Amino acid sequence: MLNVLRSDIYRLFHRITLYIMLICTVVFAFFVGFFGSFDDTTTDTIITSIGSLLPLLCATIATSAIITAEYKNGYIKNTVSVAGNRLYVYFSKLIISALLLIFAIISFLDIYLLAVIINPKATLLVLNLDMASVFAYLGFQFLSGMAIISLVLLVAMLSRSNAIGCLTAFAICVGIINSSINLLSYLLKAKEIIPENVELTDYLVTTYTTQINFYSGSDFVTKGVIVSLVYLVISVALSMLVIKKRDI
């Protein structure tokens, strides 16, 4: 397992995909931070806007590009033949995906804060920040991000198509899935198939990723953690089944 992981980490830092992802993340972060309007915006709102799905989108697209390329060039087949355990290969890819997400979040946060500081419209009172809340918020964003990125990893493994993987990442991260489920919820309520007080979007991980903030109630946060864990566990379990049973 460690040999496979070391090899994947070495390859990651020698991939152009990583640096393209970082460049895109930096550009997005600077654009949002510098050109956004922050008149009368409180510090916590500025900081929690790092929960933007832009870094997650970059990380998921990079994950899809890496996994599909390795299926096509035969790297995964060669790795399995050497490692002898397909699960080593999968969990190594999952860790690489986590690293991509961490790099994207850190890059976005650093450049975003820099852009906000030099933005004449923005005010940033760093001394008033509750750092415990910031790290808790980032921890949740990482958990929910891994739930989403593991889904994209599963789709990429099943389809072995970067186009399908990227389209899935785009549909999830820009809200297409949420909008579609919201419409479905409305139609089902109109037909009285589900009760009026039931919202199908409450069962989507992106709902919590985009709405959680420093003042979210404990019930909302707990639901977000549970939903994220459910998505993560199911997608990992299905991915393990796929890589064990399907021809490489």
Side-chain angles (χ1 to χ4, degrees):
M1 174 67 184
L2 290 178
N3 289 333
V4 175
L5 181 58
R6 278 197 294 265
S7 176
D8 279 346
I9 291 176
Y10 176 83
R11 287 169 59 84
L12 175 64
F13 284 100
H14 288 79
R15 287 181 178 275
I16 191 173
T17 304
L18 171 64
Y19 302 101
I20 292 175
M21 182 203 76
L22 292 176
I23 290 172
C24 291
T25 302
V26 166
V27 171
F28 288 149
F30 187 83
F31 181 85
V32 173
F34 187 78
F35 294 103
S37 176
F38 299 106
D39 294 328
D40 301 321
T41 302
T42 58
T43 301
D44 65 285
T45 302
I46 293 176
I47 296 301
T48 54
S49 66
I50 62 175
S52 164
L53 292 175
L54 288 174
L56 177 58
L57 176 61
C58 293
T60 50
I61 288 177
T63 295
S64 174
I66 289 174
I67 193 70
T68 53
E70 291 188 351
Y71 267 112
K72 290 179 180 179
N73 63 26
Y75 174 77
I76 288 183
K77 178 181 287 188
N78 293 335
T79 304
V80 169
S81 65
V82 173
N85 191 327
R86 296 186 178 200
L87 292 183
Y88 291 168
V89 176
Y90 169 69
F91 282 109
S92 178
K93 301 305 177 192
L94 190 63
I95 293 172
I96 292 300
S97 300
L99 289 177
L100 286 169
L101 182 57
I102 291 172
F103 292 155
I105 291 176
I106 292 176
S107 300
F108 189 92
L109 174 60
D110 289 344
I111 301 303
Y112 177 84
L113 292 179
L114 175 63
V116 168
I117 289 172
I118 64 178
N119 184 346
K121 295 182 180 179
T123 57
L124 185 64
L125 304 177
V126 178
L127 295 179
N128 290 341
L129 288 178
D130 180 356
M131 295 310 297
S133 297
V134 171
F135 284 114
Y137 176 81
L138 288 175
F140 177 80
Q141 290 298 335
F142 176 75
L143 173 62
S144 60
M146 283 305 300
I148 294 171
I149 213 169
S150 63
L151 284 174
V152 175
L153 181 59
L154 172 61
V155 171
M157 290 171 57
L158 284 170
S159 66
R160 302 187 185 182
S161 167
N162 189 35
I164 294 176
C166 289
L167 285 174
T168 302
F170 188 81
I172 294 174
C173 293
V174 303
I176 295 176
I177 299 296
N178 271 63
S179 298
S180 300
I181 297 300
N182 193 44
L183 176 60
L184 176 62
S185 181
Y186 173 79
L187 294 175
L188 292 177
K189 288 178 183 179
K191 296 294 184 179
E192 298 183 349
I193 297 176
I194 62 174
E196 284 292 330
N197 62 342
V198 173
E199 293 293 341
L200 297 182
T201 52
D202 288 346
Y203 303 97
L204 296 178
V205 64
T206 46
T207 298
Y208 301 93
T209 305
T210 55
Q211 294 183 14
I212 199 167
N213 57 57
F214 291 163
Y215 298 109
S216 296
S218 58
D219 288 345
F220 185 80
V221 174
T222 301
K223 287 180 182 178
V225 170
I226 292 173
V227 170
S228 298
L229 287 174
V230 168
Y231 272 74
L232 182 60
V233 169
I234 291 176
S235 58
V236 168
L238 290 176
S239 296
M240 290 170 61
L241 183 62
V242 167
I243 200 166
K244 286 179 67 175
K245 300 298 184 181
R246 193 177 182 190
D247 291 337
I248 294 179

